[in-house]
Amino acid sequence: MNRLCGACRTRIPWIWAPMCPVCGRPGRCVDCLRRKLTYFKGARCAVQYRDEMRDWLADYKYRGAERYTGVMAAMLSCAMEQLRNDFGGAFDLITAVPLAPGRLEERGFNQAERMAAAMAAWYGIPYRPLLKRTRDTEKQSGKARQGRIADMRGLFAPADDIPAARSLSGPRRILIADDIYTTGSTMNDCARAILQAMPGAEVYGIAWSRT
């Protein structure tokens, strides 16, 4: 965070006061109220997805500003600290929401994975790719709530090498990282897929921004 000037730091719309006990939204959350099954124990996000944060993320994801990784990871770690405070205990393993192969090839990197891996290294927590996508989807921006939920249903599955992660001295608290949390459908389906392969785990989520 010291890489940011004072003016930039003061413009960050941090989420300091979560209201939803499940996802941490700083306001009334109809998504958590309507969801029939929630597979993750809780989630927290670092910042609100306002115009300036949208520009930062677009620079990072689409315009090759990979130098942002350290700053973005530091911001993401604020969400993890808040999650630890609210739910107690440390995390045994960190993973990230995977990109579709086509988008990964187009961008050259997975922004959520980069942030999560950097943060994991700082905290000394193992990072493992536990998930894979079962199909491609259209971009979610601009889609209504029901469209997003339908697109995410069954989208993720355990990665091929998840047995190796399962054999690690019994990890029980697993943290999924993403860049944006909107309805929680992505996080929920990722948690479902992990529990399918590791039924004894507790799954939590963090995201850099919250719409």
Side-chain angles (χ1 to χ4, degrees):
M1 296 300 294
N2 291 333
R3 299 180 187 179
L4 297 177
C5 69
C8 285
R9 286 199 296 268
T10 59
R11 289 198 295 269
I12 296 173
W14 296 105
I15 299 176
W16 296 125
M19 289 185 65
C20 177
V22 178
C23 76
R25 186 174 186 173
R28 185 173 181 269
C29 180
V30 296
D31 295 307
C32 289
L33 290 173
R34 292 176 181 174
R35 191 181 301 118
K36 293 181 180 179
L37 286 173
T38 300
Y39 295 98
F40 59 91
K41 295 287 187 179
R44 293 295 180 265
C45 304
V47 301
Q48 297 178 61
Y49 191 56
R50 295 181 183 170
D51 289 345
E52 190 161 7
M53 298 297 98
R54 186 181 295 110
D55 292 341
W56 284 18
L57 190 57
D59 284 345
Y60 185 43
K61 290 169 68 170
Y62 307 121
R63 301 177 190 131
E66 295 182 51
R67 65 187 183 279
Y68 285 15
T69 297
V71 170
M72 306 284 273
M75 295 170 74
L76 183 67
S77 70
C78 294
M80 188 181 78
E81 292 289 352
Q82 191 172 78
L83 191 68
R84 287 205 306 187
N85 289 338
D86 290 348
F87 289 90
F91 299 102
D92 302 298
L93 204 64
I94 297 178
T95 193
V97 175
L99 283 178
R103 286 183 194 156
L104 181 60
E105 183 177 355
E106 178 184 338
R107 294 178 197 170
F109 72 105
N110 177 348
Q111 67 282 350
E113 182 180 63
R114 287 279 181 89
M115 288 189 283
M119 188 185 70
W122 296 338
Y123 283 88
I125 304 171
Y127 176 86
R128 297 288 186 277
L130 301 182
L131 297 159
K132 64 181 180 181
R133 287 187 179 240
T134 61
R135 63 182 186 275
D136 289 335
T137 59
E138 298 176 356
K139 290 185 178 181
Q140 299 301 300
S141 55
K143 285 195 175 183
R145 177 182 181 276
Q146 289 303 323
R148 290 175 183 268
I149 292 172
D151 275 0
M152 293 301 113
R153 193 172 293 123
L155 179 61
F156 299 96
D160 296 335
D161 60 351
I162 202 170
R166 188 168 53 227
S167 68
L168 292 174
S169 61
R172 285 296 176 264
R173 289 169 62 89
I174 297 174
L175 186 60
I176 305 169
D178 203 1
D179 55 352
I180 303 175
Y181 185 113
T182 303
T183 64
S185 300
T186 297
M187 194 71 70
N188 203 41
D189 200 64
C190 285
R192 177 201 56 77
I194 289 174
L195 290 173
Q196 176 184 329
M198 305 171 71
E202 290 183 2
V203 183
Y204 299 82
I206 54 172
W208 183 78
S209 60
R210 180 67 159 90
T211 59

